[in-house]
Amino acid sequence: MNDTLPNIQKSQLHPIDIGRLAHPGDPTHPPRILMLYGSLRQRSYSRLLTQEAARILQTLGAEVKIFNPSGLPLVDDAPDTHEKVQELRTLSLWSEAHVWCSPERHGAMTGVMKTQIDWLPLAPIGGFRPTQGRTLALMQVSGGSQSFNTVNQMRILGRWMRMITIPNQSSVAKAFLEFDEDGRMNPSPYYNRMVDVMEELMKFTILTRGRSDYLVDRYSERVESAEDLSKRVNQQSI
């Protein structure tokens, strides 16, 4: 992946001012961001947009990993011990933020995109939930005129997965016109919006990651935990 940024005005891409976002004692390592895309085509515009966004995130100081969905089985068509499922879940547990980027197909996100999300459970894995409390940025590509069906759908999913979905989003219309032969995104307002979204994701991730456990601490879960503890302690026999 070519890491140069020919479309960026370097003087205007400001470093993230961590001092204005983080508190003393907050994590100081590079934000860990998992990126998912929703197409298996050889020339996948959702993958190309994801890679373009990854360059921006890396320039802003993030550690980025992109999951390749090729070979990921349909949910319930394979056990969760499948190597691709385990890879996806391990990456999500590692992450502090996600970027989801899907084509719009038949007015909705693709099955490839939905399958990845469906393999991520709300229940804890080894005591840790793979999505709760993480920040999320949304992008979509369209073959025709601009649409927001897919990002709107994914925004609902992000909320359902208990993620902090940032306000900004990117929707690239007629994506086949927005990338050159080498797969690099052309300069355009679409490109600038993508940069905006990645910049915002970095800020929200740094702002919230040091206190995400507190943000998702819930009364209902504390009550349930207390009841379970009481039952265990007061049981008559082991």
Side-chain angles (χ1 to χ4, degrees):
M1 187 168 67
N2 187 346
D3 293 329
T4 60
L5 299 173
N7 302 334
I8 286 291
Q9 295 183 33
K10 294 183 179 180
S11 63
Q12 299 305 317
L13 186 65
H14 298 163
I16 302 298
D17 188 347
I18 295 177
R20 298 180 66 178
L21 299 168
H23 290 176
D26 279 357
T28 58
H29 59 266
R32 300 191 294 258
I33 300 179
L34 171 61
M35 307 187 79
L36 308 180
Y37 61 90
S39 170
L40 300 178
R41 290 180 176 179
Q42 184 174 359
R43 186 172 171 84
S44 163
Y45 294 108
S46 63
R47 187 188 72 248
L48 294 179
L49 181 58
T50 295
Q51 291 173 340
E52 206 69 57
R55 296 182 180 96
I56 299 299
L57 289 170
Q58 289 166 340
T59 299
L60 292 172
E63 182 180 359
V64 176
K65 296 186 179 182
I66 301 174
F67 177 70
N68 180 355
S70 180
L72 183 69
L74 293 173
V75 176
D76 298 330
D77 199 35
D80 61 10
T81 55
H82 189 284
E83 61 180 357
K84 290 297 291 189
V85 177
Q86 288 298 304
E87 178 188 354
L88 174 61
R89 291 184 174 186
T90 298
L91 286 172
S92 192
L93 288 168
W94 162 85
S95 72
E96 296 168 323
H98 284 201
V99 178
W100 296 351
C101 180
S102 177
E104 181 164 313
R105 184 169 297 164
H106 301 318
M109 78 183 78
T110 62
V112 172
M113 190 75 237
K114 185 62 162 55
T115 296
Q116 293 174 82
I117 300 167
D118 284 346
W119 272 118
L120 297 174
L122 281 173
I125 301 174
F128 297 95
R129 289 183 170 91
T131 57
Q132 178 168 290
R134 289 157 178 79
T135 47
L136 171 64
L138 305 172
M139 304 192 296
Q140 75 168 77
V141 294
S142 303
S145 58
Q146 191 172 42
S147 168
F148 299 95
N149 291 330
T150 295
V151 287
N152 287 341
Q153 279 190 325
M154 293 192 294
R155 190 168 292 276
I156 292 171
L157 274 174
R159 186 169 68 244
W160 189 261
M161 303 301 285
R162 299 179 177 178
M163 304 179 82
I164 303 167
T165 309
I166 67 170
N168 212 342
Q169 60 190 23
S170 170
S171 174
V172 178
K174 297 182 180 178
F176 60 93
L177 297 177
E178 298 302 323
F179 294 85
D180 64 22
E181 292 182 359
D182 295 324
R184 296 303 305 271
M185 196 170 184
N186 299 320
S188 71
Y190 292 134
Y191 180 88
N192 293 346
R193 172 58 69 90
M194 177 273 294
V195 176
D196 287 349
V197 175
M198 295 306 106
E199 195 174 51
E200 187 172 290
L201 177 66
M202 286 286 290
K203 292 176 180 177
F204 271 82
T205 301
I206 292 169
L207 179 69
T208 61
R209 67 177 179 175
R211 51 203 55 83
S212 61
D213 288 345
Y214 182 68
L215 289 171
V216 298
D217 183 38
R218 291 179 174 84
Y219 166 78
S220 60
E221 293 181 353
R222 293 194 300 272
V223 169
E224 182 181 9
S225 298
E227 289 175 349
D228 290 344
L229 176 62
S230 178
K231 289 177 182 178
R232 178 169 58 82
V233 170
N234 294 310
Q235 60 188 339
Q236 297 301 313
S237 62
I238 300 296

